[in-house]
Amino acid sequence: MKICFLFSAESEKMLKKIMKTSVLLATGFLVVAAVSCKSKKTDTDSLAVEKTSVSENGTHVWYYFTKSGFMPTNLPQNAPSAIEKPWTESIRICGSANASDTNNKSQPPSYAMVNRLGIITFSEKAPVLHGDVNIFSENTVSSMFLQDNIPVFSVYKSSFFNDKTPVQKTAVMAQARPFLINYDINSGVFFPLIFYEDIHLAINEQVTDFSWDGKSFNCSVKTTENAKNSFSYFTIMPSVSLLSISQKNISSVLSIGESNAETFRASKKFADFSEAPERLKKLLAKLPKNQQMLMECSFSGNSSAVTYRQSGNDENSCLMAKAVIADLYALAVFSDGTCYFSGSCYSRPVLAGGKVLGFRLPKLPERFIYSYPALSGTKLYVAWEETSFYKTGRSGFIEIDLDSVLYSKFRN
């Protein structure tokens, strides 16, 4: 890694200047702060745990994204070449979520949000992509989270990389613009929960970023007028569960209030790793305290992701990782493919008495990275993508059989 910057949507003007001198690592989550990461070999090997490698035949399968779905390939670098596009416009996994096991009646599914395509459901069956051309073909998707185990996400149009695209100022367009959408896992259909007209935004206004704490949204709104952008902020507080919102009751269940840039930035600020859940800190207890790290952690069931930051005296490297804290397990996946796991998979015993276990995903070619993980049963799915500056080329995911990788080697 060289220099990695993570930006909120309101940093668009600044980004144009930064593009000339720095490297943007597009990670799919939007935050305000920036972190400098100098080039150095990552220190994930310093975690002294029992390790194995995902390298044997039969332990994994590669998939790459096409314009309409995904296909198997023998290696990511052998997937058909793809035109590099800004990450807001490219087909790539930009978020994942794992359902809770609280009912303990069936294998909890997991989900991957694929920009411009739809949502992939991972369950006991083969992965299935569900899409809706009216929602995904022209919009950037972001900020997926779970509400009562149901995926919810937002959409917006990124004018930053499409300055020549005219704004269609029609009444029909204004009324038809969805802001927040839920995915019905039983029917495979996408249902808009909140439209832009419900939150009183004009056709030249859109929510390009927000935070959700389980009770209220803190939103950043970009207004485009005469080729100039300005930003404002407001909050949305629903009085009922998000999944109970309908066009019949929406005017009475949404409370909209004022906010400001300072409050919005505070809601997007990195949390210190010392504030992370104990299970996550235990998972990475051997990580040097002076190791810089950014870790986006999601929680199964009912929560949006939290990004934890660890910084110290070692400024020579910055580790980028995604983590999942679920009912039965804790999992962390670093961008170089180093993974750490503790607990058990669904319907399987606890591994190695609960010790932290490590395994290495197959090494990716230069400029390729791993990102979002999703686990269902004993099948682990991890996103990969080809990155270049602020753009993404080829992308897809790898499926790993944890029965072969972990349970065959680390049984109690």
Side-chain angles (χ1 to χ4, degrees):
M1 296 182 193
K2 295 184 179 179
I3 301 176
C4 21
F5 288 92
L6 305 169
F7 291 88
S8 71
E10 69 175 308
S11 302
E12 292 182 352
K13 293 183 180 179
M14 185 183 299
L15 180 56
K16 289 184 178 180
K17 296 179 181 179
I18 292 175
M19 282 180 181
K20 298 179 181 179
T21 57
S22 62
V23 175
L24 173 68
L25 179 60
T27 61
F29 56 92
L30 304 175
V31 288
V32 173
V35 176
S36 176
C37 309
K38 297 180 181 179
S39 178
K40 183 185 176 184
K41 183 181 181 294
T42 57
D43 289 334
T44 48
D45 283 334
S46 63
L47 287 167
V49 298
E50 296 183 76
K51 290 186 179 179
T52 186
S53 177
V54 180
S55 58
E56 300 174 5
N57 291 332
T59 61
H60 62 283
V61 180
W62 296 100
Y63 295 92
Y64 71 93
F65 289 120
T66 68
K67 292 182 179 180
S68 59
F70 57 86
M71 295 287 291
T73 182
N74 62 336
L75 291 170
Q77 59 268 37
N78 291 340
S81 60
I83 298 174
E84 293 183 344
K85 297 180 180 180
W87 61 269
T88 57
E89 314 306 307
S90 60
I91 296 175
R92 57 185 288 272
I93 291 179
C94 57
S96 63
N98 296 262
S100 173
D101 187 34
T102 53
N103 293 329
N104 199 31
K105 294 180 179 180
S106 60
Q107 180 176 307
S110 59
Y111 308 94
M113 173 66 70
V114 187
N115 191 46
R116 302 294 170 143
L117 279 186
I119 286 182
I120 300 177
T121 299
F122 303 111
S123 62
E124 296 175 280
K125 302 178 181 179
V128 178
L129 172 68
H130 294 277
D132 185 322
V133 66
N134 295 319
I135 293 175
F136 293 97
S137 63
E138 298 296 330
N139 290 310
T140 297
V141 297
S142 68
S143 305
M144 180 172 70
F145 59 92
L146 294 181
Q147 177 73 42
D148 297 331
N149 276 335
I150 302 300
V152 178
F153 61 96
S154 67
V155 296
Y156 68 96
K157 288 184 180 292
S158 178
S159 61
F160 179 44
F161 294 109
N162 293 277
D163 293 332
K164 296 180 180 180
T165 301
V167 177
Q168 300 178 22
K169 297 183 178 180
T170 67
V172 174
M173 177 72 175
Q175 293 180 0
R177 288 194 306 154
F179 159 52
L180 203 66
I181 299 169
N182 89 281
Y183 166 65
D184 185 276
I185 59 178
N186 295 316
S187 65
V189 176
F190 297 89
F191 295 99
L193 297 173
I194 302 176
F195 288 88
Y196 272 94
E197 66 171 349
D198 299 323
I199 50 179
H200 315 303
L201 293 185
I203 187 62
N204 62 332
E205 297 176 309
Q206 61 177 336
V207 177
T208 52
D209 197 9
F210 68 81
S211 63
W212 165 250
D213 61 7
K215 296 181 179 180
S216 63
F217 296 92
N218 204 316
C219 305
S220 172
V221 178
K222 184 178 71 173
T223 301
T224 303
E225 193 166 0
N226 298 324
K228 294 182 179 181
N229 296 327
S230 61
F231 291 88
S232 58
Y233 308 86
F234 71 99
T235 60
I236 305 173
M237 183 175 293
S239 60
V240 297
S241 166
L242 292 178
L243 302 182
S244 298
I245 295 175
S246 69
Q247 288 301 298
K248 292 183 179 180
N249 67 8
I250 194 165
S251 61
S252 62
V253 301
L254 290 188
S255 176
I256 301 175
E258 294 184 358
S259 186
N260 53 55
E262 183 178 354
T263 301
F264 175 75
R265 293 190 186 103
S267 73
K268 301 294 290 183
K269 187 178 180 181
F270 297 132
D272 191 271
F273 190 68
S274 62
E275 303 172 6
E278 290 301 318
R279 292 172 64 193
L280 183 59
K281 289 192 284 189
K282 181 180 178 181
L283 189 70
L284 302 177
K286 300 296 183 179
L287 189 74
K289 301 302 180 183
N290 66 344
Q291 173 64 62
Q292 289 203 22
M293 175 183 65
L294 279 180
M295 174 166 286
E296 182 181 358
C297 182
S298 63
F299 304 85
S300 64
N302 283 291
S303 181
S304 53
V306 177
T307 301
Y308 296 100
R309 173 180 179 177
Q310 176 172 283
S311 59
N313 299 326
D314 184 1
E315 298 182 353
N316 292 319
S317 65
C318 178
L319 303 183
M320 310 296 292
K322 313 292 184 186
V324 179
I325 302 298
D327 307 284
L328 301 177
Y329 63 87
L331 169 70
V333 178
F334 288 83
S335 59
D336 68 349
T338 304
C339 304
Y340 296 96
F341 181 93
S342 65
S344 67
C345 295
Y346 178 79
S347 76
R348 296 291 193 276
V350 173
L351 281 163
K355 293 180 180 179
V356 176
L357 304 175
F359 57 99
R360 178 86 71 174
L361 301 181
K363 185 177 180 180
L364 290 171
E366 186 178 357
R367 298 197 303 115
F368 285 69
I369 62 169
Y370 288 105
S371 60
Y372 291 96
L375 177 61
S376 183
T378 57
K379 294 295 179 64
L380 172 64
Y381 304 87
V382 181
W384 61 264
E385 62 184 71
E386 180 183 19
T387 64
S388 176
F389 200 14
Y390 61 95
K391 296 182 178 181
T392 298
R394 290 168 285 190
S395 64
F397 60 93
I398 182 175
E399 175 188 297
I400 303 103
D401 181 6
L402 295 187
D403 266 334
S404 299
V405 174
L406 294 183
Y407 276 93
S408 65
K409 299 179 181 181
F410 295 118
R411 293 186 183 278
N412 292 329

